[in-house]
Amino acid sequence: MNPTVVPLPYDDTAAVTARLGSEGPALLKRAYRWMLVGRTLDQRMLALQRQGRIGFYGPATGQEGVNVAAGLAAGPTDWIFPGLREQLVALVRGHGLTEYLHHLFANGLDPALGRQMPCHPTAREVNYVSMSSVVGTQITQAVGAAYAMRHRKDNAVTLGFFGDGATSANDFHAGLNFAGVFGLPIVFGLANNQWAISQPVERQSGSPELVAKAAAYGLPGVRVDGTDLLASYAALREALATARSGGGPTLVEFVTYRMTPHSSSDDPARYQRGDWADRALAHDPLLRVEELLHRLGLIEAGWTERAREEIDVEIRAAVVEAEKVGPPLPETMTNGVFANASPSSSPPERT
Ligand SMILES: Cc1ncc(C[n+]2csc(CCOP(=O)(O)OP(=O)(O)O)c2C)c(N)n1
Ligand SMILES: [Mg+2]
């Protein structure tokens, strides 16, 4: 365990139950295991990218607490519109690890049919919408989906994620404004990891706290420590319940630390200065939960090591499966594009 980690502010299991509900400690342990899955995946996938086996990867190290909280807090019929780093939400909701690996390898079994950017998964079976690379565009899509939900009288809520950088995009204004005017069933999850590639959050906005922007659209805004799984879960549960009961949207700002490069194509040594890495490590969401589990006596010695080994085996098996599958066939190029295939919609025959 890392001795420099800032302990989570909870002293007993009652405090855990107050944030996580009656399942309390059991849910905390389950959440911790999912955080371990996210962390191990990031490490393995970055290694695979460096070995030239997958093309690109965007880690979410430092944001596992928010992602696991969202995966556990949202209902099964709710819709997730991810920002750039919410893949773990799909896995927690039940998307298969091997399925996800098929996507990362862009093989013939990739749910996105090998046509998406790498590391932009889609998981239709758990209402997880394909990620939009163009920063902020998913915000208005999520608002549109929430509007449709209201129109269809569905009991579902939309959970739309985006980063601190996206708060400078036009879609942020248009989306929050529309949702505020119509009181839509949506929760805006602002994953403020304090960087937009090389741009620090201090240069992103004149507002010292991004959550202040909620007021301009008439929405309640909540700012939580996104490296605190329990606080993140409690804030999301409340915002989701408000939206579900007709109370309208909430902006929840999760303050986190981006603990890795922006992506496998980035080198933060060129722009991150000072004690950033130390501060990030002290707020590692995984180590903070680990420390809490030990302090409250909720986990026995060796549990983490065993879980890590199991997860490693699961990931390695999924990689083997995914690497067995060949690339998508040219004949599948227009699958899902046309209702009725016409001669002009088929790819040219190979000669
Ligand atoms: C409209 C647009 N401008 C620029 C980019 C290039 N770009 C990709 S990610 C990114 C930063 C996003 O930062 P943030 O919203 O904070 O999300 P994070 O990467 O930190 O999760 C930028 C500028 C893009 N994809 N789309
Ligand atoms: Mg960011």
Side-chain angles (χ1 to χ4, degrees), residues 50-85:
R50 287 296 184 256
Q51 293 163 7
R53 289 156 75 188
I54 59 172
F56 172 86
Y57 190 72
T61 304
Q63 295 174 219
E64 296 96 334
V66 177
N67 289 344
V68 172
L72 294 172
T77 59
D78 292 345
W79 283 84
I80 313 297
F81 282 72
L84 300 174
R85 303 177 199 281

Side-chain angles (χ1 to χ4, degrees), residues 143-217:
V143 169
Y147 193 47
M149 234 93 68
R150 149 82 61 79
H151 189 68
R152 294 188 341 186
K153 300 194 170 31
D154 276 2
N155 193 30
V157 173
T158 301
L159 179 51
F161 279 101
F162 49 88
D164 42 300
T167 62
S168 300
N170 294 339
D171 295 88
F172 174 81
H173 165 72
L176 269 73
N177 191 54
F178 194 95
V181 169
F182 291 98
L184 297 181
I186 184 164
V187 175
F188 295 104
L190 161 51
N192 176 6
N193 62 9
Q194 310 187 49
W195 293 94
I197 312 185
S198 57
Q199 185 85 320
V201 68
E202 300 77 42
R203 296 292 301 272
Q204 197 60 250
S205 172
S207 296
E209 295 192 353
L210 295 175
V211 71
K213 293 173 184 245
Y217 306 105

Side-chain angles (χ1 to χ4, degrees), residues 20-285:
L20 298 186
S22 54
E23 240 199 292
L27 186 61
L28 184 61
K29 224 162 141 177
R30 195 144 60 88
Y32 173 57
R33 194 183 188 284
W34 274 117
M35 291 170 83
L36 282 170
V37 170
R39 183 64 56 95
T40 315
L41 258 174
D42 278 358
Q43 289 162 350
R44 287 287 300 139
M45 296 307 113
L46 283 171
L48 288 187
Q49 196 279 337
R50 287 296 184 256
Q51 293 163 7
R53 289 156 75 188
I54 59 172
F56 172 86
Y57 190 72
T61 304
Q63 295 174 219
E64 296 96 334
V66 177
N67 289 344
V68 172
L72 294 172
T77 59
D78 292 345
W79 283 84
I80 313 297
F81 282 72
L84 300 174
R85 303 177 199 281
E86 281 75 29
Q87 300 94 307
L88 190 54
V89 181
L91 296 180
V92 175
R93 283 171 70 79
H95 187 55
L97 188 60
T98 310
E99 221 76 53
Y100 177 43
L101 267 291
H102 286 320
H103 166 67
L104 289 176
F105 280 89
N107 68 25
L109 294 177
D110 171 9
L113 307 170
R115 297 181 202 154
Q116 243 299 15
M117 290 262 294
C119 201
H120 285 50
T122 177
R124 184 188 283 263
E125 76 284 7
V126 294
N127 290 356
Y128 182 93
V129 177
S130 185
M131 170 181 148
S132 303
S133 237
V134 186
V135 166
T137 45
Q138 77 280 13
I139 301 174
T140 38
Q141 294 163 10
V143 169
Y147 193 47
M149 234 93 68
R150 149 82 61 79
H151 189 68
R152 294 188 341 186
K153 300 194 170 31
D154 276 2
N155 193 30
V157 173
T158 301
L159 179 51
F161 279 101
F162 49 88
D164 42 300
T167 62
S168 300
N170 294 339
D171 295 88
F172 174 81
H173 165 72
L176 269 73
N177 191 54
F178 194 95
V181 169
F182 291 98
L184 297 181
I186 184 164
V187 175
F188 295 104
L190 161 51
N192 176 6
N193 62 9
Q194 310 187 49
W195 293 94
I197 312 185
S198 57
Q199 185 85 320
V201 68
E202 300 77 42
R203 296 292 301 272
Q204 197 60 250
S205 172
S207 296
E209 295 192 353
L210 295 175
V211 71
K213 293 173 184 245
Y217 306 105
L219 319 186
V222 189
R223 193 171 202 250
V224 260
D225 177 352
T227 71
D228 177 343
L229 167 91
L230 295 88
S232 302
Y233 180 87
L236 273 169
R237 285 294 280 193
E238 192 176 335
L240 286 163
T242 300
R244 207 179 308 284
S245 61
T250 305
L251 173 65
V252 187
E253 178 183 0
F254 301 97
V255 183
T256 64
Y257 291 77
R258 202 191 77 204
M259 297 179 70
T260 50
H262 170 77
S263 72
S264 52
S265 314
D266 175 45
D267 175 13
R270 296 173 63 132
Y271 56 82
Q272 279 179 351
R273 300 277 176 265
D275 63 349
W276 170 262
D278 292 337
R279 282 192 292 130
L281 201 58
H283 292 89
D284 181 329

Side-chain angles (χ1 to χ4, degrees), residues 275-316:
D275 63 349
W276 170 262
D278 292 337
R279 282 192 292 130
L281 201 58
H283 292 89
D284 181 329
L286 179 72
L287 295 181
R288 295 188 86 189
V289 168
E290 189 177 319
E291 189 277 334
L292 180 69
L293 284 165
H294 282 290
R295 181 155 44 88
L296 299 187
L298 298 172
I299 201 169
E300 55 282 12
W303 193 94
T304 300
E305 292 68 25
R306 276 199 304 282
R308 271 193 190 275
E309 274 166 34
E310 279 168 26
I311 292 164
D312 205 50
V313 168
E314 284 167 32
I315 294 175
R316 283 175 192 278

